[in-house]
Amino acid sequence: MVTIFRWLVRLTVGLIGLALALVLLAWYFAIRSLPDYDDRYEVAGISAPVEIVRTTEDVPHIFGKTDRDVFFALGLAHAQDRLFQMTVLRRAAQGRLAEIYGPGAIRADDQARRLGLYRNARASLEAQDPQARAALQAYAEGVNAWIGQVNLGARGRGAPEFFLYPEDIAYWEPADSLAVLKLLAASSTVQMRREVLRARLSLADPARGQDLVARPGEPPMPGYAGLFPGARFAAPERGAGPQDWTATLAGYLAPSAGATANGFAAAKARTAAGGALLANDPQFALTAPGLWYLARIELASGGVIGGTIPGMPLVLSGRNTRLAWGVTPAQIDDQDLYVEEVQPGDPNRYRGAEGWTAFATRRETLRIRGAEPQTITLRETENGPIIPGAQLDLATVLPAGHVAALSWTGGFGNDRSMSALLALMQAPDRGAAAQALGDLIAPAMIVTLADGAGVGQLLAGAVPRRSPGHQTAGRMPAPGWIAANRWQGLDAAPAAATDLDPESGITAATGAALPGVPGLGHDGDSGYRQARLRHLIDSREVHSRDSFIAAQNDIVSPVARALLPLVGADLWFTDEPAAQGTPERLRQDALALLANWDGAMSEHLPEPLIYAAWMRALQDRLVRDDLGPLADDLTELYPGFIDRVFRDTGGASAWCDIRQSAPVETCTQIARQALDAALLDLTARFGPDLASWRWGDLHRARHVHPALGDMRGLSYIVNLIQPTSGGDATIARAGMLGHGRNPWLNVTGAAYRGVYDLADPDSSVFIISTGQSGHPLSRHYDDMAELWRRGEYVGMSLDPDLARAAAAGVTRLEPAAN
């Protein structure tokens, strides 16, 4: 017995030692991929020595003799810090995520292949101007130079993730950067998803379904069932609906996920320092590492500094010595779905405008980790590629014997968008910037500009030309065989969407519909945020950098300010005081808190939590009996709908009556019931003491590593979760998940913020949501996360001497000897 015990002890000690050795070995190989920022490398592809000067926040300042050398070094710097992220973005555009992630990524790969992201990117390479092609080639060579250094120096495969996903790292090609831009364009738009939602609402409630998404002034739409008599309302398969979009971010970006931003500027006459100011904060899904990367490059035209996305040689939002620019995804209607009738008895033909026509067909093979390869058949009609019914709940709106095709402005080759964006970042003034952006196709963007002479704003990107006889005006899927429904071509953005010299010296964009420019779409951002931003910047005669920072980080919800007096009008102070501990007293206490609340969605307050839970419960109670299971997929709040219901606009108060009940319910009753239901849920979570509740207890920013974030144990290392202020409708937007046990989880936000001051190049400030490095063991993996959460920034100077003086490391690239 003693002998057995001794051997058990020895075995236990041995296993512990082995486990410790394995951990140390894994740690050793992982840290091998941490780059040394104070090193020297001999590389082929540069004409003269190049310096990459790193600040204490790991922001590279790149100095070289030629523009080609600088773009080469930018590619190398991106690869040093974000090689795994770059390869994943490329795979997402190529439709090759399943090769590393397995069967769970098949749907994402299928969609990318059908959209033709990589195919159209390759077809666009020759369309770029010579300067852009040179930049793309140099950037690709810089990425490949670092891959070569990884192989030569046994640098842990370049990133620790490659040990768990051991696919070969293909060398970077110029077309790969174009593919990442195509992926960005596909992920920025939500039009396809919105069209399906409108059709589902029309089928679920033909009389009033459109109330939910209709915008002020929007003309009525035909009933979807009238367009397709065979269409019937159907609930989607669980797990296939639009609420699942956050789960598709294995590639950092996902088509139809949607994006927005704030972009605002003040001319020098409206600033205290005598120079123009511009602020920008592109808002995407929150990941770890974040999508954005700070960089400064010194070109022949001067220094350029701001936010880049690894994989592209672009400063997408930033400034040079004379011009600042910011980008806001413009939710114009750049996608149309068409319902195509398949010929009975012949699945290879569809009904075209001239009769039955053969699909254009090709076959591609998906390689899948841990499973057999799958061959998929990709079909196209004259309107565009066929999108499977499993994508975005399309199957719920397709009549039997029909399929859906997509027309999209970004779904073509010969696209010069990369050339336009490269020219933008070297433009000397607003006029030159506007001229450069004339070549932009997708993504469509509202671009805010500022230079020494003033500020301006323009819409850049292609706009579909639709016939006046289009049956749905592009708002819902339309019959693809009717010629009047088809696109008549692509136009440049209308001149009315450009104002390069506003009389007020102020310009602002949030992604809302452009005033005075009708017909570009009905699914832009809510006008509440636009009105709030205009109020903040119009209410001051003179602005400073600090006032722009305050506006960019504003957490007051204009929707809360608008809806609470309306919804609670008949509830405040209308009942007799109730006894402590009763549901009535809980309701009275909650209403008392909300009555004195200014709408600030602070993480430290209980009021935002009560308000958000109340509005969510209210919207669900209004629509559940009318829309049935479709209510589960309404993952966002529709404030315009609630406003119409409680004002009884066009008889919309009919939504308050519960169909299944005999009595006729009033909106006041529904509001009270929804508040009681919300308080009951919050009490079960946090107890009965309202004063102890905190918005930040549920509203937490979740930065998830797309590859490692779901792995038990590793998730605690690679994921970043922190409480945040703000909400869906605040200027400092903090978008929420919208479903599950915690629908208030913050999953989207301003992953990059910049405030550019043209009066003083060294006073511009920047921040990203995580850190510069994509390596989980680097101190730069999350060193900006807490600053970002608090609304703080880091400075980045365009002064070369200042950058070198504060350098935390200098990487020197030397031309390799022949």
Side-chain angles (χ1 to χ4, degrees):
M1 189 68 182
V2 173
T3 301
I4 294 175
F5 177 76
R6 286 175 178 170
W7 278 106
L8 287 174
V9 171
R10 291 169 183 169
L11 182 61
T12 301
V13 172
L15 290 174
I16 293 173
L18 179 61
L20 182 60
L22 290 174
V23 169
L24 290 174
L25 187 65
W27 177 80
Y28 171 76
F29 281 114
I31 64 168
R32 289 288 298 166
S33 55
L34 282 170
D36 181 358
Y37 298 130
D38 210 357
D39 207 344
R40 175 185 172 277
Y41 303 100
E42 287 192 2
V43 293
I46 55 175
S47 62
V50 180
E51 283 188 331
I52 305 175
V53 179
R54 303 272 183 169
T55 67
T56 53
E57 294 87 11
D58 189 26
V59 177
H61 292 243
I62 300 173
F63 304 97
K65 183 177 180 181
T66 66
D67 287 358
R68 192 187 191 287
D69 291 350
V70 170
F71 283 118
F72 178 101
L74 178 62
L76 188 142
H78 277 167
Q80 275 187 312
D81 285 323
R82 302 284 188 90
L83 183 59
F84 182 75
Q85 181 185 31
M86 292 171 65
T87 60
V88 168
L89 283 167
R90 175 174 61 182
R91 283 184 178 276
Q94 292 173 328
R96 296 179 55 212
L97 288 173
E99 294 179 10
I100 59 174
Y101 291 143
I106 291 176
R107 180 176 292 181
D109 285 352
D110 183 273
Q111 188 176 26
R113 301 283 183 108
R114 293 181 191 277
L115 291 176
L117 300 179
Y118 197 72
R119 182 164 49 89
N120 289 323
R122 295 189 72 88
S124 298
L125 183 58
E126 291 304 314
Q128 309 308 313
D129 61 41
Q131 294 81 8
R133 288 201 301 273
L136 291 167
Q137 182 64 42
Y139 180 85
E141 290 179 12
V143 176
N144 296 335
W146 181 249
I147 295 175
Q149 290 296 322
V150 168
N151 294 333
L152 285 172
R155 301 177 189 276
R157 291 182 55 82
E161 294 93 336
F162 288 119
F163 288 110
L164 297 174
Y165 301 102
E167 283 285 320
D168 292 336
I169 307 172
Y171 281 116
W172 199 264
E173 298 180 15
D176 296 342
S177 296
L178 297 177
V180 174
L181 182 59
K182 285 285 187 185
L183 178 64
L184 179 70
S187 69
S188 298
T189 181
V190 296
Q191 297 308 307
M192 180 163 53
R193 186 152 52 91
R194 291 287 187 170
E195 285 196 30
V196 175
L197 176 60
R198 287 172 180 267
R200 293 180 68 197
L201 288 168
S202 179
L203 289 173
D205 190 339
R208 307 211 62 99
Q210 297 299 328
D211 281 353
L212 202 75
V213 293
R215 295 296 175 92
E218 182 177 350
M221 290 177 41
Y224 190 73
L227 296 172
F228 305 102
R232 297 289 183 271
F233 177 73
E237 298 179 17
R238 276 304 97 213
Q243 68 180 21
D244 260 359
W245 72 270
T246 51
T248 67
L249 292 176
Y252 288 91
L253 291 169
S256 298
T260 186
N262 302 305
F264 51 102
K268 63 181 182 180
R270 297 289 302 271
T271 68
L277 285 165
L278 189 147
N280 189 218
D281 56 354
Q283 297 155 7
F284 289 83
L286 300 177
T287 58
L291 181 66
W292 293 82
Y293 181 92
L294 302 177
R296 175 269 178 88
I297 55 178
E298 187 72 20
L299 301 175
S301 58
V304 184
I305 194 166
T308 71
I309 293 178
M312 295 187 290
L314 293 173
V315 176
L316 272 171
S317 175
R319 57 158 299 174
N320 57 36
T321 54
R322 291 176 286 179
L323 176 76
W325 62 96
V327 295
T328 300
Q331 291 302 335
I332 66 170
D333 195 354
D334 56 1
Q335 291 181 329
D336 275 359
L337 281 168
Y338 293 95
V339 176
E340 310 279 18
E341 182 181 356
V342 179
Q343 181 175 348
D346 188 352
N348 297 314
R349 296 168 68 82
Y350 69 98
R351 184 180 176 186
E354 305 298 329
W356 298 110
T357 307
F359 287 105
T361 304
R362 69 183 189 278
R363 295 169 69 84
E364 295 187 7
T365 300
L366 298 179
R367 290 176 51 221
I368 305 165
R369 185 181 184 185
E372 291 297 317
Q374 288 187 13
T375 300
I376 58 174
T377 299
L378 308 180
R379 298 185 295 173
E380 291 192 17
T381 71
E382 295 166 313
N383 291 311
I386 297 299
I387 308 298
Q391 301 281 358
L392 300 174
D393 290 338
L394 270 169
T396 64
V397 301
L398 290 176
H402 293 70
V403 294
L406 174 69
S407 289
W408 171 44
T409 57
F412 305 96
N414 202 36
D415 183 342
R416 291 170 53 86
S417 297
M418 179 66 75
S419 296
L421 293 171
L422 281 165
L424 167 66
M425 67 188 226
Q426 300 179 67
D429 54 43
R430 289 165 293 153
Q435 184 176 0
L437 288 169
D439 284 335
L440 187 71
I441 301 295
M445 298 186 297
I446 301 169
V447 182
T448 306
L449 301 167
D451 61 21
V455 299
Q457 195 174 86
L458 61 91
L459 174 64
V463 177
R465 189 187 317 134
R466 296 183 180 88
S467 165
H470 193 297
Q471 289 176 289
T472 70
R475 290 175 288 169
M476 284 196 305
W481 57 87
I482 297 177
N485 292 335
R486 296 185 170 188
W487 286 5
Q488 311 300 308
L490 298 179
D491 291 329
T498 295
D499 185 357
L500 294 183
D501 193 18
E503 184 177 347
S504 66
I506 293 285
T507 189
T510 61
L514 294 169
V517 191
L520 294 179
H522 300 277
D523 296 304
D525 191 64
S526 163
Y528 289 96
R529 292 178 64 248
Q530 179 80 16
R532 174 67 183 173
L533 181 57
R534 290 298 318 199
H535 167 74
L536 290 174
I537 58 178
D538 288 343
S539 61
R540 295 176 61 109
E541 186 63 31
V542 176
H543 280 278
S544 66
R545 186 192 68 175
D546 290 342
S547 73
F548 263 43
I549 289 174
Q552 194 173 66
N553 288 280
D554 183 68
I555 58 171
V556 172
S557 171
V559 170
R561 286 186 165 188
L563 291 187
L564 282 176
L566 187 63
V567 173
D570 296 328
L571 298 181
W572 268 294
F573 313 113
T574 57
D575 296 325
E576 294 297 323
Q580 193 73 33
T582 62
E584 292 77 12
R585 179 58 180 269
L586 189 66
R587 185 199 313 140
Q588 291 172 359
D589 289 345
L591 287 169
L593 283 173
L594 293 175
N596 296 301
W597 179 47
D598 65 355
M601 303 287 288
S602 168
E603 66 182 270
H604 305 294
L605 296 178
E607 291 91 342
L609 183 57
I610 299 169
Y611 153 74
W614 185 8
M615 292 302 109
R616 177 175 173 80
L618 175 62
Q619 179 171 283
D620 186 77
R621 196 165 288 257
L622 289 172
V623 304
R624 175 70 60 178
D625 62 315
D626 295 273
L627 303 182
L630 177 53
D632 292 331
D633 292 333
L634 301 178
T635 59
E636 60 184 279
L637 183 70
Y638 294 90
F641 165 68
I642 295 176
D643 182 270
R644 285 191 292 275
V645 168
F646 279 80
R647 293 185 189 277
D648 195 22
T649 304
S653 64
W655 286 91
C656 292
D657 181 38
I658 305 299
R659 291 185 179 185
Q660 292 88 343
S661 67
V664 177
E665 288 82 7
T666 67
C667 290
T668 299
Q669 287 176 292
I670 295 299
R672 181 185 295 110
Q673 292 169 4
L675 178 56
D676 288 345
L679 293 174
L680 185 64
D681 175 56
L682 294 177
T683 300
R685 294 173 187 258
F686 303 114
D689 184 8
L690 273 67
S692 68
W693 297 355
R694 296 290 180 267
W695 176 227
D697 290 340
L698 288 179
H699 189 255
R700 293 174 295 162
R702 185 184 68 170
H703 298 78
V704 177
H705 192 294
L708 309 179
D710 290 333
M711 293 187 179
R712 185 169 297 178
L714 286 178
S715 62
Y716 294 101
I717 299 174
V718 299
N719 294 343
L720 305 177
I721 299 178
Q722 53 191 172
T724 49
S725 299
D728 278 330
T730 55
I731 301 303
R733 195 165 196 171
M736 293 174 276
L737 183 62
H739 64 93
R741 174 165 170 74
N742 183 7
W744 303 285
L745 198 65
N746 179 196
V747 295
T748 64
Y752 166 77
R753 297 189 189 111
V755 178
Y756 319 131
D757 186 352
L758 294 183
D760 180 3
D762 297 331
S763 67
S764 299
V765 290
F766 313 79
I767 198 69
I768 56 176
S769 59
T770 55
Q772 289 283 91
S773 176
H775 198 300
L777 298 182
S778 169
R779 67 186 181 89
H780 299 299
Y781 183 71
D782 60 355
D783 59 339
M784 295 192 203
E786 185 61 25
L787 296 175
W788 173 83
R789 186 184 76 84
R790 297 197 304 259
E792 299 177 10
Y793 299 75
V794 300
M796 297 202 302
S797 172
L798 278 173
D799 183 341
D801 294 331
L802 190 59
R804 288 190 175 93
V810 179
T811 302
R812 293 174 173 82
L813 307 181
E814 302 283 349
N818 294 329

